[in-house]
Amino acid sequence: MTVTPPTQGAESYVVGVDFGTLSGRAVVVRVRDGEEVGSAVHAYPHGVIDRELPGTGRILPPDWALQHPEDWREVLRTAVPAAVAVGGVDPAAVIGIATDFTACTVLPVRADGTPLAETALGDRPHAWPKLWKHHAAQDQADRINHLAHQRAEKWISRYGGRISAEWQYAKALQVLEEDPGVYAATERWIEAADWIVWQLAGVETRNTCTAGYKGIHQDGHYPSEDYLAALHPDFADFARTRLEHPLSPLGARAGSLTPQAAAWTGLPEGIAVATGNVDAHVAAPAARAVENGRLLAIMGTSTCHVVNGATLADVPGICGVVDGGIVEGAYGYEAGQSAVGDIFAWWLSQGVPADYLAEAEATGEDLHRLLTRKIADQPVGGHGLIALDWMNGNRSTLVDHHLSGVIVGLTLATRPEEIYRALLEATAYGTRTIVDALEQGGVPVTEFIVTGGLKKNALLMQIYADVLRRPVSLAESAQGPALGSAIHAAVAAGAHPDVRTAAAAMGRVQRGAYRPDTARADAYDELYAEYRLLHEHFGTGPDKQLHRLRRLRNAALSRNSEV
Ligand SMILES: Nc1ncnc2c1ncn2[C@@H]1O[C@H](COP(=O)(O)OP(=O)(O)O)[C@@H](O)[C@H]1O
Ligand SMILES: O=C(CO)[C@H](O)[C@H](O)COP(=O)(O)O
């Protein structure tokens, strides 16, 4: 059954749902102008599963990160109807729904889409969805990369020369090697971005974005069976049997809302369900960042950088370039930092003394605000610190999740807020490294736009403007990915002819909200030079100290874990 959009004159609405790392957010948006009339958030009860497999008591090894599929369905049942109710919208006026997901968040399923985690295999960790930040497949990623270069595989240059341990193949190979029984039972290996569409529309679809960036689908092909067999004989048919499916462009209609999904969401049966998408890429139209050269940094738990270019360039160290990966008709480039807000959150949870907690309690500020206020006026370089932003590994430009964080310059006088500021700055230096790599690789960056939870920190935004020596524009929506999804829903429902047109009608950006200050930018140039020295020493130098420390840690901890 399909539903015709309401006739002219009546307002119509779309729903966008953003499945993040810790929660899912739904937003109800007016099709005509992108007005967000209602939103709701549902925190995943299981959050990130990184210590113990639910219901089993099994301890997970280091670097594991799983999620629970039921947490995702629950977002459809709770956040979507809540957002519609908050917006005071008649559900009958909703003409489409679209979703976006973290990626590569990927799960093994049966041929009918049932997650293996929800079968009799559910007591085995490898049956569970692996979250994007599952970093335990670095050894597999290293072999994938080594073999690709050895065989001069053409596709490897589209991934900056290195596939990340976060992407589909490293994770799948880890399942095969560590639990062949689960691998054998895996009938389809699917991004959560596509799985959630399956839940809504009742049909399996695969989207251009995740297939390209996370699934090594380039020029119409996955990696060859020869190549996969050379990785592991039983991996030869991985792409053909577990991935292969026609790809749908972004903004296409994947299908119609099933009766079951209509009952979950309270939305009309038969409305348009859009093809799946990634939380980062989907946000570009919400920030009107679809024209070539406008780089959108989606800054939250992690940061993704997405930018369109007119030509195909091989940029060392980026995550990938995909034709139509962000919007049709352009080459979409993606790079990223595996932790940004997560690094600040780590410091708040581990490094703030009791008297700061008491002060925050007394003033009613959250700790981010407290530390930001205490350090905002310090002159650039006043703390004498440099940090490397690798507490969750390095996604771009080193593509190495065995790297870890470093802070140098500590003294007995160093205060918690100074370390906080050094961490904010470290992430800005990491972004400068990425922007420089893109430009040096032949991808012009004409504007730097920020969306995501971190744009509310004015000190952080000013640091980025100063470190990058460029204005920072801000997406106006507080829900960039969810609004981006809503824009794709409007296109899938036929209310706008394509994503570019819909972006012009529904997206919003405040251009040049923060401007660089020359004196501070000069001071940051000196500090950035110091960051680069550390970056080279620990990241690319001959002494692999961070790798040695990781190996020692893993050996010590693996004695207590079970896979
Ligand atoms: N005022 C702030 N300054 C800096 N970081 C913040 C601030 N408030 C929240 N954060 C960080 O933002 C991150 C969450 O970002 P958000 O965009 O809301 O989520 P997600 O990335 O899961 O979509 C957390 O890691 C948190 O530490
Ligand atoms: O890799 C990504 C997209 O390609 C994102 O970093 C990942 O999806 C997590 O996003 P967030 O930090 O917003 O939770």
Side-chain angles (χ1 to χ4, degrees):
M1 172 189 170
T2 52
V3 162
T4 315
T7 48
Q8 264 194 337
E11 289 288 5
S12 36
Y13 296 86
V14 279
V15 172
V17 193
D18 168 39
F19 289 85
T21 300
L22 295 171
S23 62
R25 304 156 210 196
V27 60
V28 182
V29 176
R30 194 159 62 201
V31 162
R32 174 166 54 87
D33 58 0
E35 178 74 16
E36 295 167 44
V37 298
S39 69
V41 180
H42 176 73
Y44 305 142
H46 297 87
V48 176
I49 303 166
D50 55 6
R51 290 183 185 277
E52 190 180 314
L53 197 67
T56 66
R58 291 180 77 152
I59 303 300
L60 297 171
D63 298 324
W64 274 61
L66 308 176
Q67 285 204 318
H68 200 313
E70 190 54 17
D71 288 353
W72 302 332
R73 288 194 199 94
E74 200 55 23
V75 172
L76 300 176
R77 292 192 204 104
T78 57
V80 174
V84 174
V86 168
V89 167
D90 176 0
V94 176
I95 60 169
I97 180 168
T99 50
D100 63 82
F101 235 100
T102 62
C104 164
T105 296
V106 66
L107 62 157
V109 299
R110 296 243 190 261
D112 65 358
T114 306
L116 291 196
E118 296 178 348
T119 69
L121 293 170
D123 60 350
R124 292 159 65 164
H126 275 298
W128 284 64
K130 288 185 167 56
L131 182 61
W132 63 275
K133 64 176 172 176
H134 174 92
H135 283 157
Q138 184 64 51
D139 290 341
Q140 284 79 9
D142 289 344
R143 282 164 35 223
I144 286 170
N145 291 321
H146 181 74
L147 186 67
H149 285 288
Q150 202 178 47
R151 293 169 47 100
E153 295 288 342
K154 208 173 129 221
W155 45 262
I156 192 70
S157 61
R158 300 273 176 93
Y159 299 92
R162 284 177 72 80
I163 296 290
S164 167
E166 291 179 359
W167 303 162
Q168 287 181 14
Y169 284 67
K171 285 171 167 159
L173 189 57
Q174 190 198 6
V175 177
L176 169 61
E177 293 181 342
E178 295 181 6
D179 195 340
V182 166
Y183 183 80
T186 302
E187 291 173 320
R188 304 295 285 160
W189 179 250
I190 189 161
E191 288 277 343
D194 290 321
W195 181 83
I196 200 75
V197 171
W198 203 340
Q199 304 305 295
L200 288 167
V203 287
E204 180 180 354
T205 52
R206 303 273 171 157
N207 72 84
T208 331
C209 181
T210 47
Y213 292 104
K214 321 295 174 182
I216 322 186
H217 188 276
Q218 292 286 351
D219 302 324
H221 305 285
Y222 288 108
S224 69
E225 295 213 1
D226 265 11
Y227 166 80
L228 296 174
L231 276 174
H232 189 297
D234 295 339
F235 207 48
D237 66 355
F238 168 66
R240 180 167 52 79
T241 57
R242 276 116 171 142
L243 300 181
E244 197 69 69
H245 193 281
L247 300 188
S248 311
L250 305 175
R253 183 178 181 129
S256 305
L257 199 69
T258 62
Q260 181 185 51
W264 287 344
T265 56
L267 299 177
E269 183 187 334
I271 60 168
V273 178
T275 308
N277 207 330
V278 178
D279 56 359
H281 308 65
V282 79
R288 293 202 185 161
V290 287
E291 291 90 8
N292 296 342
R294 295 194 197 277
L295 183 148
L296 181 66
I298 302 90
M299 296 183 60
T301 310
S302 64
T303 290
C304 280
H305 310 81
V306 296
V307 60
N308 279 316
T311 54
L312 184 60
D314 292 338
V315 185
I318 58 151
C319 300
V321 49
V322 174
D323 190 0
I326 301 170
V327 69
E328 280 198 283
Y331 290 101
Y333 293 81
E334 178 190 356
Q337 292 165 273
S338 294
V340 174
D342 245 5
I343 299 180
F344 315 148
W346 162 75
W347 182 242
L348 296 186
S349 69
Q350 303 298 319
V352 176
D355 54 329
Y356 281 48
L357 297 176
E359 187 180 342
E361 176 98 28
T363 61
E365 288 166 299
D366 76 12
L367 286 172
H368 286 291
R369 277 186 185 279
L370 181 83
L371 268 73
T372 301
R373 175 170 58 75
K374 283 180 181 289
I375 200 61
D377 294 333
Q378 187 180 62
V380 173
H383 49 45
L385 302 170
I386 291 283
L388 288 175
D389 49 318
W390 302 344
M391 280 72 172
N392 199 18
N394 178 294
R395 191 187 290 171
S396 299
T397 54
L398 300 174
V399 203
D400 185 347
H401 292 288
H402 281 170
L403 294 173
S404 43
V406 174
I407 304 176
V408 296
L410 295 166
T411 74
L412 293 178
T414 303
R415 287 171 290 131
E417 59 270 30
E418 293 181 315
I419 294 181
Y420 184 78
R421 180 168 180 146
L423 295 173
L424 300 183
E425 291 166 345
T427 68
Y429 303 145
T431 286
R432 176 163 165 178
T433 301
I434 287 168
V435 173
D436 287 353
L438 284 163
E439 292 225 286
Q440 284 156 19
V443 182
V445 175
T446 53
E447 185 179 7
F448 188 85
I449 311 172
V450 174
T451 191
L454 301 194
K455 76 183 167 82
K456 63 175 175 274
N457 186 323
L459 172 65
L460 183 68
M461 292 301 103
Q462 189 59 53
I463 289 172
Y464 272 61
D466 293 336
V467 168
L468 295 171
R469 301 194 84 108
R470 306 169 174 262
V472 169
S473 302
L474 296 184
E476 283 189 9
S477 173
Q479 310 275 4
L483 174 59
S485 274
I487 289 173
H488 285 81
V491 176
H496 290 288
D498 54 44
V499 174
R500 288 171 198 276
T501 314
M506 299 172 74
R508 282 192 210 347
V509 63
Q510 187 191 350
R511 303 235 182 258
Y514 291 87
R515 301 204 163 262
D517 169 86
T518 308
R520 282 196 304 262
D522 289 346
Y524 273 127
D525 275 349
E526 279 189 68
L527 290 168
Y528 181 66
E530 298 298 331
Y531 172 87
R532 291 298 310 170
L533 286 177
L534 274 190
H535 194 282
E536 275 151 38
H537 175 75
F538 284 106
T540 52
D543 181 35
K544 302 288 179 204
Q545 188 177 28
L546 299 180
H547 285 184
R548 284 198 303 281
L549 289 173
R550 173 73 52 132
R551 266 200 303 279
L552 290 170
R553 185 205 71 173
N554 286 358
L557 295 184
S558 62
R559 290 189 275 277
N560 293 335
S561 58
E562 323 158 37
V563 167

